[in-house]
Amino acid sequence: MEFTSGGTEGFRLDEERYNIPDGNNMYGVVNDTISKKQIATKFHELGWSVRKSSWTDFEIECQWAELHIEGENEILFNGILDETKFEELGDLMVKLGFKYSIELYDDEQKLLRTISN
């Protein structure tokens, strides 16, 4: 599948229904031999919207998260999500077969939780 900067159909961020922070509160890394495009495709297959945010990077979005997939030597995640959905994101990463580590921060950038496998 080809993704463009215009994005695909799929879930969109719902700031009225979910508690979405103003700034990034989630950071992580995928430790697999998988491409950023393959990761974006797997999330798209779950109904998330996907758009290319640069020549090589992607933005994925659902009702409760907007995440960026970037990096060169390792695949990095960062973005915003409703903190009550943090474990659900971790469960999705496992379901998709990713080896990962993600961290959740509060508004003052204090580490709240970490999940990895």
Side-chain angles (χ1 to χ4, degrees), residues 16-95:
E16 291 183 19
R17 183 173 173 199
Y18 294 96
N19 185 18
I20 306 299
D22 292 332
N24 285 6
N25 67 338
M26 194 285 303
Y27 302 88
V29 62
V30 172
N31 300 308
D32 270 333
T33 56
I34 188 169
S35 72
K36 293 181 278 189
K37 183 178 178 182
Q38 289 170 314
I39 292 171
T41 299
K42 287 182 177 256
F43 275 95
H44 179 54
E45 290 169 354
L46 294 176
W48 290 50
S49 61
V50 176
R51 75 174 197 87
K52 269 192 118 167
S53 55
S54 75
W55 289 104
T56 60
D57 300 330
F58 297 88
E59 179 182 278
I60 59 174
E61 184 177 354
C62 72
Q63 297 100 325
W64 45 265
E66 181 184 276
L67 307 176
H68 302 272
I69 307 168
E70 51 196 23
E72 293 302 317
N73 296 325
E74 59 185 356
I75 298 174
L76 306 174
F77 273 84
N78 67 78
I80 55 175
L81 76 143
D82 182 322
E83 71 178 56
T84 65
K85 296 293 192 173
F86 184 67
E87 276 85 21
E88 187 172 334
L89 177 61
D91 292 343
L92 278 176
M93 300 288 256
V94 169
K95 178 181 178 180

